[in-house]
Amino acid sequence: MMDDFPPLSLHVPEPAVRPGGTPDFSNVPIPKAGSVPRPPVDVDPRDIRDLAFSIIRVLNREGEAVGPWSGLLSDEALLEGLRHMMTLRAFDARMLMAQRQGKTSFYMQHMGEEAVSCAFRKALEPGDMNFPTYRQAGLLIAGGYPMVDMMNQIFSNEADPLKGRQLPIMYSSKEHGFFSISGNLGTQFVQAVGWAMASAISNDTRIAAGWIGDGSTAESDFHAALVFASTYRAPVVLNIVNNQWAISTFQGIARGGAGTFAARGLGFGIPALRVDGNDYLAVYAVARWAAERARRNLGPTLVEYVTYRVGAHSTSDDPSAYRPKDESEAWPLGDPVIRLKNHLVRRGVWSEERHRQAEAEVMDSVIMAQKEAEKHGTLHSGGKPSVRDMFEGVYAEMPPHLRRQRHQAGV
């Protein structure tokens, strides 16, 4: 009988295009803007299974906001959102240059993904807690965290709020609802669920938001988070940022045969939605829907943001080695900054001239913050965190062996 079957072979997913090829996103179906229905917040997850396979969009090709997910933000709020995204982009440009100049050892930019974190932040309330990855600095920018403090952390200088203990860009601010970033992939996802469960146990009103990249959904912590979130109906929004690439590995490796990343929530009975991650209005609308669901004690929501990482994974990465150089230009969902700008121009509250002026103003503010941060030192010059800081902030009462070590170090 065994002779009746051919030899087994292992399936290894392959990207559609390699470097030198023609970019192809024909496998990304883009529904018409405004065509996806907006269900009531208390909907039964079984009734919206199809939302895990579609893409919620608000802005159409003409820059109009259409459909049931539109109309939630004023012109003033949208102008503020545009400025947040422009600030994050300018911040990226200056810090990327600083890394090339040797002022910091490492940096990761957000180019093309600015709408995801900037818009999501505006759907939260004071006291809510994000458990982010390394590409959600927009949560801080949109939340009013000082750029100087972010730069001090990147430069690991004497004013670094984390005392040089974290890799550059791994920020932390309890006051701004930004949990310490971990370099271990996926750990923050299950931590977000645990924090949300603690809030519910305490009869609090605060909710949590977990963040993970498409590649890290292959980690076991991702699945553990879904188990606990569904079982205990934790008040948490679980966010998957699908930017198509996990360093040099295309998203099909982690996604496998699931069809979409959002679809993984269905087996756990969790409402699962996909949203155009380059559409500021759509991101905000979905974030607000999911946050309200958590706040009304209706349980978790899994959201997949369909976006594209335009730049390198980090300053240690060369994307030309694994994808076509012009692939980002072919991305069908466009640029989040340009799309929001075009919408505001169409509404008559913005103009090309005003946009160019704002770009200059934003860059000036970023350069001013950088100059202030560099007064406190950079990687190879100026002030550094004190060696004494290495012994502080770990134990409520320092144990004898650390006191001896500190004495031996003369600090």
Side-chain angles (χ1 to χ4, degrees):
M1 288 291 293
M2 294 300 293
D3 294 337
D4 295 338
F5 298 98
L8 298 174
S9 61
L10 181 67
H11 170 67
V12 179
E14 292 281 344
V17 184
R18 291 289 188 180
T22 302
D24 180 16
F25 288 107
S26 59
N27 63 332
V28 184
I30 309 296
K32 185 178 179 181
S35 64
V36 178
R38 184 181 188 276
V41 171
D42 60 353
V43 66
D44 188 320
R46 292 171 294 186
D47 295 335
I48 57 168
R49 291 175 62 88
D50 57 321
L51 296 190
F53 300 95
S54 189
I55 300 178
I56 296 167
R57 301 176 61 223
V58 171
L59 292 176
N60 63 19
R61 302 294 181 187
E62 291 72 43
E64 301 169 312
V66 296
W69 295 87
S70 66
L72 300 179
L73 289 167
S74 66
D75 289 339
E76 292 73 21
L78 291 173
L79 287 167
E80 182 185 46
L82 178 62
R83 194 171 189 90
H84 289 154
M85 290 196 292
M86 293 169 69
T87 299
L88 179 55
R89 186 164 292 187
F91 183 93
D92 273 351
R94 293 298 302 184
M95 292 300 97
L96 188 62
M97 184 185 302
Q99 192 277 335
R100 300 307 189 205
Q101 294 170 338
K103 295 178 179 178
T104 182
S105 60
F106 183 78
Y107 191 71
M108 304 183 79
Q109 59 177 323
H110 305 70
M111 177 74 79
E113 301 180 40
E114 294 91 346
V116 175
S117 54
C118 288
F120 186 90
R121 179 63 182 81
K122 306 311 290 184
L124 297 181
E125 298 290 341
D128 294 339
M129 184 62 71
N130 284 282
F131 289 75
T133 76
Y134 37 66
R135 223 183 301 275
Q136 276 84 55
L139 296 170
L140 292 173
I141 295 287
Y145 189 72
M147 282 190 291
V148 173
D149 288 348
M150 295 173 70
M151 293 174 178
N152 286 335
Q153 195 279 327
I154 291 168
F155 294 146
S156 301
N157 61 27
E158 64 184 10
D160 176 2
L162 304 184
K163 314 297 184 184
R165 293 169 172 167
Q166 282 275 64
L167 185 75
I169 62 85
M170 291 194 175
Y171 317 104
S172 175
S173 177
K174 181 178 180 180
E175 295 76 16
H176 289 79
F178 196 93
F179 199 84
S180 304
I181 297 177
S182 170
N184 299 315
L185 297 180
T187 57
Q188 71 284 350
F189 221 55
V190 72
Q191 291 165 359
V193 175
W195 193 97
M197 289 170 60
S199 182
I201 291 169
S202 304
N203 300 125
D204 206 332
T205 59
R206 298 172 296 169
I207 66 172
W211 295 84
I212 202 166
D214 51 276
S216 295
T217 61
E219 295 285 335
S220 58
D221 278 342
F222 170 78
H223 302 276
L226 296 186
V227 169
F228 277 83
S230 62
T231 299
Y232 297 102
R233 290 184 18 180
V236 62
V237 182
L238 296 169
N239 299 305
I240 304 171
V241 182
N242 177 11
N243 66 13
Q244 313 305 309
W245 289 96
I247 310 185
S248 60
T249 304
F250 89 114
Q251 48 102 11
I253 295 290
R255 190 191 71 238
T260 70
F261 289 99
R264 291 187 168 167
L266 301 179
F268 295 90
I270 296 176
L273 299 81
R274 296 178 86 219
V275 60
D276 179 349
N278 290 20
D279 182 338
Y280 186 97
L281 285 79
V283 171
Y284 173 80
V286 169
R288 179 168 157 177
W289 187 92
E292 181 181 346
R293 186 178 178 88
R295 223 176 290 282
R296 288 173 57 179
N297 213 36
L298 296 172
T301 303
L302 185 67
V303 181
E304 175 187 347
Y305 302 88
V306 183
T307 182
Y308 186 85
R309 167 169 59 80
V310 174
H313 176 75
S314 72
T315 49
S316 302
D317 174 46
D318 176 13
S320 67
Y322 54 82
R323 68 186 190 189
K325 291 184 178 180
D326 58 347
E327 187 176 77
S328 64
E329 299 171 13
W331 176 240
L333 295 177
D335 181 305
V337 175
I338 293 175
R339 288 178 65 188
L340 183 53
K341 178 201 72 172
N342 290 344
H343 172 64
L344 291 169
V345 170
R346 187 177 183 88
R347 288 190 57 78
V349 296
W350 200 238
S351 67
E352 295 291 347
E353 180 181 358
R354 183 69 189 91
H355 190 79
R356 287 191 294 271
Q357 181 183 352
E359 284 180 324
E361 293 169 354
V362 165
M363 184 58 76
D364 285 345
S365 67
V366 173
I367 292 174
M368 188 179 302
Q370 183 177 353
K371 288 180 177 178
E372 180 63 27
E374 290 186 3
K375 291 178 182 178
H376 298 286
T378 60
L379 179 62
H380 295 300
S381 66
K384 299 287 188 295
S386 170
V387 176
R388 183 184 181 90
D389 292 332
M390 187 165 52
F391 299 93
E392 304 289 347
V394 179
Y395 295 93
E397 183 176 342
M398 189 177 297
H401 73 282
L402 285 186
R403 286 202 297 269
R404 287 194 300 271
Q405 289 179 28
R406 186 178 67 179
H407 179 72
Q408 291 168 4
V411 295

